[in-house]
Amino acid sequence: METRISALSCDISHLHWLIKLGRTYYPEDNPALSEHFLKWLYIDNNEGPATLIVAEEDDLWIGMMVLIPVTLERKGELQKACFAVNLLAHPEHRTKNLFVKIIKCAREHLSSQNIWLLAHPNANSAPGWKRQKMMFRDPLHLHLAKFKLPFSGKQVRRINTLADLKALPEDFWHKLSKNPDVHLKYTPEFIAWRFLDVPYKNYVISAVESGNELLGLRVTRHFKWSVDLMVDFIAPNAHLCAVLASVYKPTLLIHSGLGGVANQINAGAWKLPYKRVFPLFITTWEPQMGDDDMNGITLGASDF
């Protein structure tokens, strides 16, 4: 029986098939089985709809991977990219090498358009990604932000709406594009979609200010007990990231510990003796990665 692998632009008609295949893997309370969540993640993204890499037999979806589009900024220029999520194979078809076939299709689809590919692969899928020559970076480690007095005289206010984001100084958004590392392109619309509109997760966006100056935005969510996870730190200068991470409430950061931003984080956080690491690849389709600092790509690109 022939297995067909194809790339589809996600629309509302695909949600039924996504949920049907997802039920072979996810428990019923998982957001990946919710039309509301899938519509937000796969269709409502202001960067455009997700690309579905689908394996089919006799009009039945037996495997898939979803590519979530994001825009990166690289030395003042825009770079399209996708983050890979939900790489699945139907349990009755797992002997057909579907993972590698799906990854190969994604590679051909994206490389032909110079769209970078990012992912945090798990232990089961990592060998398939490596066989397709993905560019693995240094793995991410868990850090704990050092405790300090509440921002030492700096003001913190909650950002709740798109209107709040649009009311921030215009030059703040312009300065973000000048960061020398490779990072997400931040706009009020992207941040609102990514953190304010998301179902099932409650992110807190805080503006950190000193007098009338906006130092940056910090994005957190509850992790466990009284501990938060820092998902994103959005600031025009790397040294300000340490300021945004300085808290009096226990806050975790997941970072490689390398690069310009990471050097500032290392000054304001302890690396925890936690054995688990989080693999990351950022594949640019170029023969060499070059000297680009990729550590500005935060969990904002992947914490779905």
Side-chain angles (χ1 to χ4, degrees):
M1 188 177 299
E2 181 186 4
T3 301
R4 300 181 305 280
I5 313 287
S6 57
L8 309 172
S9 179
C10 187
D11 63 41
I12 201 75
S13 69
H14 297 132
L15 298 188
H16 165 75
W17 296 103
L18 290 163
I19 292 172
K20 185 175 181 179
L21 179 57
R23 281 205 169 98
T24 67
Y25 180 81
Y26 298 112
E28 280 297 324
D29 60 349
N30 192 287
L33 303 181
S34 161
E35 283 196 7
H36 182 45
F37 177 79
L38 294 183
K39 182 176 179 297
W40 166 79
L41 181 56
Y42 295 171
I43 298 173
D44 294 343
N45 183 353
N46 64 302
E47 294 289 344
T51 296
L52 311 178
I53 308 297
V54 177
E56 296 179 82
E57 285 186 3
D58 288 340
D59 296 323
L60 177 68
W61 288 20
I62 62 172
M64 71 172 186
M65 177 168 62
V66 183
L67 305 175
I68 307 299
V70 295
T71 298
L72 306 176
E73 287 185 312
R74 179 194 191 197
K75 299 177 180 178
E77 297 183 355
L78 300 184
Q79 172 64 51
K80 293 294 183 181
C82 284
F83 199 92
V85 298
N86 297 344
L87 178 56
L88 300 178
H90 193 287
E92 296 177 4
H93 298 269
R94 287 179 180 165
T95 61
K96 297 179 178 179
N97 206 25
L98 291 179
F99 280 178
V100 171
K101 292 176 182 178
I102 288 171
I103 292 170
K104 184 176 180 179
C105 178
R107 178 188 178 94
E108 293 172 353
H109 177 76
L110 297 177
S111 63
S112 67
Q113 303 175 70
N114 190 33
I115 300 174
W116 291 3
L117 181 58
L118 295 70
H120 290 295
N122 60 31
N124 291 331
S125 64
W129 289 112
K130 289 179 179 178
R131 283 196 292 272
Q132 289 301 313
K133 301 184 180 354
M134 296 298 125
M135 297 175 174
F136 277 77
R137 304 286 294 173
D138 293 289
L140 309 184
H141 300 268
L142 206 59
H143 297 72
L144 178 66
K146 294 179 180 178
F147 304 137
K148 293 187 178 181
L149 293 175
F151 294 101
S152 302
K154 297 175 177 63
Q155 301 83 44
V156 181
R157 62 184 175 90
R158 180 82 173 261
I159 300 293
N160 294 303
T161 65
L162 175 59
D164 291 342
L165 291 165
K166 288 184 174 181
L168 297 176
E170 186 173 341
D171 69 332
F172 172 73
W173 306 104
H174 177 70
K175 288 177 182 177
L176 292 177
S177 67
K178 302 302 181 183
N179 281 347
D181 58 13
V182 179
H183 54 273
L184 289 171
K185 177 176 173 54
Y186 295 103
T187 65
E189 291 78 13
F190 175 79
I191 295 174
W193 167 78
R194 179 66 189 83
F195 298 118
L196 297 178
D197 299 341
V198 55
Y200 294 96
K201 284 188 178 180
N202 294 315
Y203 292 104
V204 174
I205 305 177
S206 302
V208 181
E209 298 165 317
S210 179
N212 294 324
E213 181 186 3
L214 174 62
L215 300 181
L217 303 174
R218 62 194 304 267
V219 181
T220 59
R221 65 171 173 84
H222 180 254
F223 184 70
K224 287 183 180 179
W225 307 296
S226 61
V227 178
D228 285 344
L229 174 68
M230 179 83 83
V231 176
D232 217 334
F233 28 85
I234 306 168
N237 296 301
H239 76 273
L240 291 175
C241 293
V243 175
L244 300 185
S246 299
V247 294
Y248 59 98
K249 182 179 180 181
T251 301
L252 297 174
L253 302 94
I254 299 177
H255 210 274
S256 72
L258 301 174
V261 173
N263 290 336
Q264 300 301 324
I265 291 174
N266 288 341
W270 296 287
K271 183 178 177 181
L272 296 179
Y274 184 58
K275 292 184 178 179
R276 182 186 173 190
V277 297
F278 304 86
L280 168 67
F281 68 75
I282 304 171
T283 300
T284 66
W285 319 118
E286 299 172 3
Q288 300 295 328
M289 185 72 76
D291 296 327
D292 289 338
D293 181 357
M294 300 285 186
N295 288 280
I297 302 176
T298 64
L299 293 183
S302 59
D303 184 50
F304 300 121

